[in-house]
Amino acid sequence: MTPLRRVKAWLPLLQLPCRAVTSCRLLHPHRRISTMQSRTFWVSGCRLTHTDEPGSGVFFEEEDEDVLDEREVEELFRLIPAAGIEGMHRVFIVHPDVKWGSRKQHLTSAELMMAEAVGLVNTLDNWTVVDKLILSTKTPEKKRIFGKGNFQLLTEKIRQTAGITAVFVNVERLSALSEREFQDAWGVKVFDRYSVVLHIFRCNARTKEAKLQISLAEMPLLRSRLKNDMTNLDQQGGGSRYIGGSGETLYEVQQRLLKERELKIRTALEKLRKKRHLLRSQRKQREFPIISVLGYTNCGKTTLIKALTGDSGLQPRNQLFATLDVTVHAGQLPSRMMVLYVDTIGFLSQLPHQLIDSFSATLEDIKHSDLLVHVRDISHPETLNQKVNVVKVLTNLQIPDRLMSSMVEVHNKTDLLENYQCKEPGVLPISALEERGLQELKTVLEDEIMKSTGKQTLDIEVSLSTNQLSWLYKEAAVQDVQVNAEDGSAVVRVIISTAAYGRYKKLFGDEMT
């Protein structure tokens, strides 16, 4: 009767009310951003505007219509048949050490991969690693992954270890057949990296966009689980029953419901993508240079942005995937030029493609940056492998060559190493936590931003009897003002874009000397 009870768990999906997604709104609170004091603003559904007060340099977020209200997002996010992954788990981790072939990891070791798996489990509240085992295999593509002897050894080890509630097989994805085979052999729940990472995402999701993206990423698991449950029900002789004379089997009904659910999620995310594009356009109109900060998960991106902006509202966490939502933070470079730092989701080795695809709209912000900053945890024993994985993901995302070639690489957490010596050319060693090396970093960022945006430094003579000076304070980065009291004029040194200077000449052409 167990498979039948599993299938009944899907029945709440039948009661999910269908609503027109275009009729819903998502509201965001007002927040203020000052050039002198940074504040965070969320990318997903707001607009930037500015006051008309001369020289104020103050910016606001405005509420904007969005796709789904809170209740509907929660329905899509929470209405999931129980996967057995929720709650408390005592986990046995097994890492298949592939000896040769295309699946062999050449830039890392089995021990370091196991350490990362342990880190994933420890990220989750109420999850505990009971035991772990690295087991060699020559047949990772087979149903049981391991050969007959090693599989028997593993099975005996799991059965003899008291208190295990789940086994974490440290591979990217287990096939539905492998998962069912393992669960039958070991008598406990079996998870892979996809399901564990997705559960971490689910626990960390805060905004509506993150919840929608996670709900989309869960679709392959739901389909796989449905197939498993229906196969078991077929074996009991109940899998082909029709529902209410509709001519559809229970399996067909659930498949249709999943398709409808996925369509709603994709429609909502597409609307968010369009709003994200609108926000990017508005940022470009304001000519804020955009710096995307990226790197392997838990490399210190948020800590670095907090140090660069002085934003006390940022609370970095020493945790994998603490950042799921792209956030933007305003800060100033040495020239007093305002820039926007984009905090992105962390990367991971063997991150399943479906997860990357689900968050592609979020990662799309990277493509529209003026500069990329790659933060590396130089204290990590796998720092080189982590760099390779980050570059691989960026390549798969088809990041423009201009961004890849100008990317600034930062070695973070140097405070954790004794007598650290940077041996790689063009790399900046820093400690974001102790705020060491940040001035050098800001100088490099400013030089690169000047190159990438085409901004220029000009000395402009203005008349103090007009609003030329206040306009420059609002539309450019004023470096210095030399006042000539005798004739009521001043020479202003500014960093200004070509477009802004064109607007200045159009507005004040008759007043320029």
Side-chain angles (χ1 to χ4, degrees):
M1 294 299 294
T2 300
L4 185 57
R5 284 197 295 270
R6 289 177 185 167
V7 173
K8 287 183 177 178
W10 290 79
L11 293 180
L13 281 171
L14 293 168
Q15 302 166 359
L16 180 63
C18 295
R19 299 181 180 89
V21 294
T22 55
S23 64
C24 305
R25 292 195 308 155
L26 174 69
L27 299 180
H28 291 265
H30 291 296
R31 290 192 183 98
R32 190 172 75 172
I33 302 172
S34 169
T35 58
M36 300 304 295
Q37 187 176 13
S38 307
R39 289 293 182 268
T40 304
F41 61 90
W42 297 93
V43 177
S44 55
C46 54
R47 289 187 295 147
L48 277 179
T49 184
H50 66 90
T51 62
D52 292 326
E53 182 183 349
S56 67
V58 177
F59 300 85
F60 297 88
E61 286 179 280
E62 291 186 349
E63 292 178 353
D64 202 353
E65 271 197 10
D66 235 317
V67 252
L68 296 173
D69 64 26
E70 189 73 44
R71 185 166 55 91
E72 288 178 305
V73 171
E74 289 303 319
E75 282 178 344
L76 289 171
F77 185 59
R78 291 181 177 175
L79 197 54
I80 305 291
I85 200 168
E86 300 84 357
M88 182 184 299
H89 275 298
R90 292 170 54 81
V91 184
F92 186 103
I93 305 177
V94 56
H95 175 72
D97 184 16
V98 182
K99 290 303 182 183
W100 59 65
S102 60
R103 301 192 186 187
K104 178 177 174 58
Q105 293 287 325
H106 295 281
L107 294 174
T108 186
S109 65
E111 289 74 20
L112 289 172
M113 289 297 293
M114 173 61 80
E116 186 170 84
V118 171
L120 288 171
V121 172
N122 289 338
T123 296
L124 292 162
D125 292 337
N126 302 319
W127 281 47
T128 307
V129 177
V130 176
D131 204 352
K132 56 188 179 181
L133 180 65
I134 296 173
L135 204 56
S136 64
T137 177
K138 299 176 183 178
T139 58
E141 73 285 349
K142 299 294 185 181
K143 178 175 61 176
R144 290 188 172 184
I145 297 179
F146 304 100
K148 184 176 180 180
N150 274 350
F151 184 78
Q152 184 61 35
L153 174 69
L154 175 61
T155 300
E156 290 175 0
K157 176 80 171 173
I158 291 172
R159 288 176 176 175
Q160 290 170 4
T161 305
I164 294 175
T165 62
V167 175
F168 175 15
V169 182
N170 192 30
V171 297
E172 181 178 320
R173 281 296 302 272
L174 287 172
S175 68
L177 191 59
S178 294
E179 183 181 340
R180 187 166 64 248
E181 184 84 9
F182 290 156
Q183 290 185 164
D184 290 344
W186 301 333
V188 294
K189 290 291 181 182
V190 177
F191 307 128
D192 52 22
R193 284 174 74 90
Y194 187 93
S195 54
V196 171
V197 171
L198 191 57
H199 188 54
I200 295 172
F201 282 11
R202 170 171 278 273
C203 293
N204 287 343
R206 297 293 179 268
T207 66
K208 295 175 178 66
E209 184 171 18
K211 291 177 180 180
L212 288 170
Q213 289 169 326
I214 290 165
S215 298
L216 180 62
E218 284 174 327
M219 297 305 295
L221 286 181
L222 293 179
R223 289 195 172 93
S224 176
R225 197 177 309 139
L226 174 62
K227 188 174 182 180
N228 270 342
D229 289 344
M230 296 310 300
T231 299
N232 290 336
L233 191 60
D234 280 338
Q235 292 171 357
Q236 294 182 356
S240 59
R241 296 174 184 171
Y242 289 87
I243 304 298
S246 65
E248 288 183 294
T249 64
L250 179 59
Y251 179 72
E252 290 170 339
V253 170
Q254 300 295 358
Q255 285 279 55
R256 175 171 54 80
L257 289 170
L258 284 178
K259 287 181 181 178
E260 292 174 359
R261 183 171 182 268
E262 181 176 358
L263 179 60
K264 287 189 69 175
I265 295 170
R266 289 190 182 277
T267 301
L269 285 172
E270 176 61 19
K271 288 179 176 288
L272 286 174
R273 188 192 67 79
K274 291 178 179 178
K275 290 187 179 297
R276 188 183 293 276
H277 176 73
L278 175 62
L279 182 58
R280 279 197 300 264
S281 299
Q282 291 165 342
R283 278 195 236 127
K284 287 294 184 183
Q285 290 172 5
R286 291 293 301 149
E287 297 177 352
F288 291 135
I290 300 168
I291 302 174
S292 284
V293 182
L294 49 89
Y296 209 81
T297 182
N298 208 30
C299 67
K301 299 183 299 297
T302 304
T303 303
L304 175 58
I305 292 175
K306 181 177 182 178
L308 289 171
T309 62
D311 188 349
S312 59
L314 277 171
Q315 297 298 327
R317 289 179 287 166
N318 184 23
Q319 179 180 327
L320 300 180
F321 300 113
T323 301
L324 286 185
D325 302 285
V326 170
T327 57
V328 182
H329 311 262
Q332 285 186 331
L333 295 178
S335 64
R336 296 193 290 277
M337 177 173 29
M338 168 80 83
V339 294
L340 301 179
Y341 294 99
V342 178
D343 194 0
T344 63
I345 184 174
F347 298 168
L348 182 73
S349 66
Q350 296 186 26
L351 190 63
H353 292 296
Q354 291 95 332
L355 284 177
I356 296 175
D357 292 343
S358 298
F359 282 82
S360 60
T362 300
L363 295 172
E364 191 176 273
D365 277 285
I366 298 174
K367 297 181 181 180
H368 299 275
S369 306
D370 296 299
L371 184 65
L372 303 182
V373 176
H374 177 196
V375 183
R376 288 175 58 186
D377 176 0
I378 201 62
S379 70
H380 197 284
E382 279 201 289
T383 182
L384 182 58
N385 187 38
Q386 291 178 352
K387 175 182 178 177
V388 170
N389 279 299
V390 169
V391 173
K392 181 180 178 181
V393 172
L394 293 176
T395 302
N396 291 339
L397 289 171
Q398 298 180 331
I399 302 300
D401 290 340
R402 65 173 181 84
L403 288 174
M404 295 295 290
S405 61
S406 64
M407 184 163 57
V408 176
E409 185 174 314
V410 171
H411 285 185
N412 191 25
K413 304 190 183 182
T414 56
D415 54 295
L416 299 180
L417 299 173
E418 292 185 11
N419 302 319
Y420 170 73
Q421 297 292 327
C422 183
K423 298 179 181 179
E424 300 181 39
V427 171
L428 296 171
I430 68 163
S431 169
L433 187 63
E434 297 185 355
E435 300 191 2
R436 295 204 312 250
L438 298 189
Q439 289 306 312
E440 294 85 349
L441 174 59
K442 286 182 179 180
T443 300
V444 170
L445 296 181
E446 184 166 280
D447 291 343
E448 292 297 331
I449 283 295
M450 293 288 284
K451 294 176 187 176
S452 65
T453 61
K455 291 181 180 288
Q456 54 188 322
T457 302
L458 296 177
D459 290 329
I460 301 176
E461 187 172 351
V462 302
S463 171
L464 296 178
S465 62
T466 69
N467 64 342
Q468 289 172 276
L469 182 58
S470 63
W471 191 95
L472 289 172
Y473 267 108
K474 187 164 60 174
E475 300 294 335
V478 176
Q479 308 295 292
D480 184 51
V481 179
Q482 297 291 331
V483 177
N484 187 340
E486 293 182 359
D487 61 1
S489 67
V491 175
V492 185
R493 174 160 291 184
V494 296
I495 295 178
I496 191 169
S497 69
T498 303
Y501 187 51
R503 293 196 301 272
Y504 175 83
K505 291 191 291 185
K506 184 176 181 180
L507 283 170
F508 303 107
D510 295 338
E511 301 166 9
M512 295 174 65
T513 59

